[in-house]
Amino acid sequence: MDLSAGKLAELIPALFGAPDLLAAIAPLDCVLLLSDPAELTPPLLNLLPPNRIVFGVAAAALAAEGAAQQLAALADAGYRVMLDGPLPPGVARPAKLRAVTLRCRDGAPPNASLLAVFGPHLAREVDSMARFEECERAGFTWFSGDYPLATPTGGPAEDGSSRRRILSLLALLATDADSRDIELLLKQDPALSFHLLKLVNSAAFAVNTAITGYAQAIAVLGRRQLQRWLQLLLYARGNADGLPNLLLPLAALRAGQLEMLCKRDGGERDEQDLAFMTGAFSLLDRLLGMPMAEILADLPLPDHVAAALLHREGVLGRRLLLAERGPDAALLDAAGIDAATWWQSQLHAHHWAIQVGRNV
């Protein structure tokens, strides 16, 4: 969260004056980017629990008298402090401040340059997989940016038969097919079956006995939840290198946000399900390496859902566009959403996406 433009006295109480934000992102912590640590007055620090807050402070601030001592005091109080950017000329790095955050849009530090420096280190504005790999080699372990959207898809890990099974499964879900038909298709896809059984045996469902069969899994989840989780489990299929698919949290985030906004409007349960589906399916073209029009040709979706996915048209389409690009006044107005509602839907969606990530 970038607060480097100042106005901390207004922004911190607005963001952290209530427990909503930190509760929504738990157990993750919040990284706050600051340009001037002198703005962190005691009343503001009282709103920021040390065990949940990481400060990314512009290294240039160390040129100011007393700044190094102030940052060391923050570290002594239990806050984790990262230095952002290069040190000012002639200023040595304080012994207690070894973690680094860096804007990496235009390049990454040399290989292994951060491995000897106590971290974790955060690479920001990482917008390609090539840059991600450069940053990882440099020693970064935390990343932010659009690199998940640049993940290679539709490659060797997905052969034609596997892709057809995915599309067939999506079609069954869209037509409210019999659970036995879904079970039959699941049996043909070991990776998807593994993720489903892992899910129902997770702490999220707190079952007393191990779930080992498809019928049991469907019974534990319930039909509606089964449909929702399968929509997201499609993204959980392992890549060829065994790493998780980075599109999963993004799909969960969009699904949760569109569902909540529909619920806020008084949408019926079926309408909420379609809003959730729109968000969950919005990344299928990247997942499958296929044009969205080709995917939708095999999926009997309602016209307004197809219009949202293909052209970002209609209420769902405008809200999906907002979820993709982030809020500005024009997009919020077009989507019929005020800033406060957007913020609440973001908190809900992040909480949901985090739970998905922990349980899938």
Side-chain angles (χ1 to χ4, degrees):
M1 187 176 297
D2 192 347
L3 304 181
S4 57
K7 299 185 179 180
L8 295 191
E10 300 174 16
L11 292 174
I12 286 181
L15 292 170
F16 297 95
D20 296 2
L21 172 58
L22 292 176
I25 66 170
L28 302 183
D29 298 329
C30 188
V31 180
L32 301 182
L33 301 179
L34 309 173
S35 56
D36 184 4
E39 293 184 78
L40 290 171
T41 62
L44 295 182
L45 288 172
N46 287 337
L47 298 174
L48 303 174
N51 64 324
R52 299 292 308 280
I53 300 297
V54 183
F55 290 119
V57 180
L62 289 170
E65 184 178 354
Q69 291 81 358
Q70 183 180 15
L71 294 181
L74 288 174
D76 288 338
Y79 293 102
R80 288 156 289 171
V81 180
M82 297 176 164
L83 288 180
D84 182 18
L87 293 165
V91 175
R93 180 180 295 275
K96 293 183 179 180
L97 306 179
R98 294 298 179 183
V100 169
T101 177
L102 191 65
R103 180 181 178 272
C104 295
R105 178 183 294 274
D106 301 319
N111 286 358
S113 57
L114 298 176
L115 293 179
V117 184
F118 182 76
H121 309 295
L122 168 64
R124 308 194 319 277
E125 298 185 31
V126 181
D127 294 333
S128 71
M129 289 308 298
R131 183 75 71 238
F132 176 90
E133 291 166 1
E134 290 175 11
C135 292
E136 193 172 39
R137 287 194 296 268
F140 289 101
T141 54
W142 291 2
F143 307 90
S144 69
D146 288 336
Y147 64 93
L149 294 175
T151 305
T153 55
E158 293 289 354
D159 60 24
S161 61
S162 178
R163 182 176 297 174
R164 284 192 295 273
R165 281 197 298 272
I166 292 177
L167 292 177
S168 296
L169 182 56
L170 291 174
L172 288 176
L173 293 172
T175 56
D176 198 28
D178 190 280
S179 296
R180 287 173 294 182
D181 295 328
I182 295 173
E183 180 180 338
L184 182 63
L185 199 55
L186 279 171
K187 289 178 178 178
Q188 301 174 32
D189 197 322
L192 199 57
S193 300
F194 164 78
H195 287 296
L196 176 62
L197 294 176
K198 178 184 174 184
L199 168 67
V200 294
N201 284 290
S202 70
F205 293 93
V207 292
N208 295 323
T209 58
I211 304 299
T212 58
Y214 299 100
Q216 284 178 289
I218 292 170
V220 168
L221 282 171
R223 181 53 189 253
R224 186 168 183 250
Q225 288 300 321
L226 171 68
Q227 288 184 338
R228 289 179 169 228
W229 280 103
L230 283 176
Q231 289 165 19
L232 295 175
L233 284 173
L234 294 170
Y235 293 92
R237 302 171 59 84
N239 293 326
D241 55 10
L243 296 176
N245 194 307
L246 296 174
L247 294 174
L248 171 62
L250 291 177
L253 191 70
R254 294 180 183 182
Q257 187 159 27
L258 265 61
E259 177 198 20
M260 183 184 179
L261 291 172
C262 178
K263 184 176 182 179
R264 181 215 64 156
D265 289 345
E268 299 291 337
R269 191 170 181 175
D270 288 346
E271 294 174 288
Q272 294 176 38
D273 288 343
L274 289 174
F276 184 97
M277 181 186 295
T278 303
F281 285 3
S282 65
L283 292 164
L284 283 182
D285 51 346
R286 294 182 182 273
L287 176 73
L288 301 177
M290 298 170 59
M292 184 63 79
E294 186 177 338
I295 294 171
L296 295 185
D298 293 323
L299 292 176
L301 299 180
D303 290 344
H304 70 291
V305 173
L309 291 170
L310 276 173
H311 308 298
R312 303 302 187 259
E313 293 177 348
V315 173
L316 280 177
R318 291 190 291 272
R319 291 177 176 180
L320 178 57
L321 187 64
L322 186 59
E324 292 171 332
R325 296 185 181 178
D328 65 32
L331 288 177
L332 285 168
D333 185 61
I337 301 170
D338 58 46
T341 299
W342 171 258
W343 174 247
Q344 289 301 317
S345 70
Q346 281 273 281
L347 293 179
H348 168 84
H350 278 85
H351 182 72
W352 161 250
I354 289 168
Q355 298 310 307
V356 170
R358 296 179 72 185
N359 290 314
V360 170

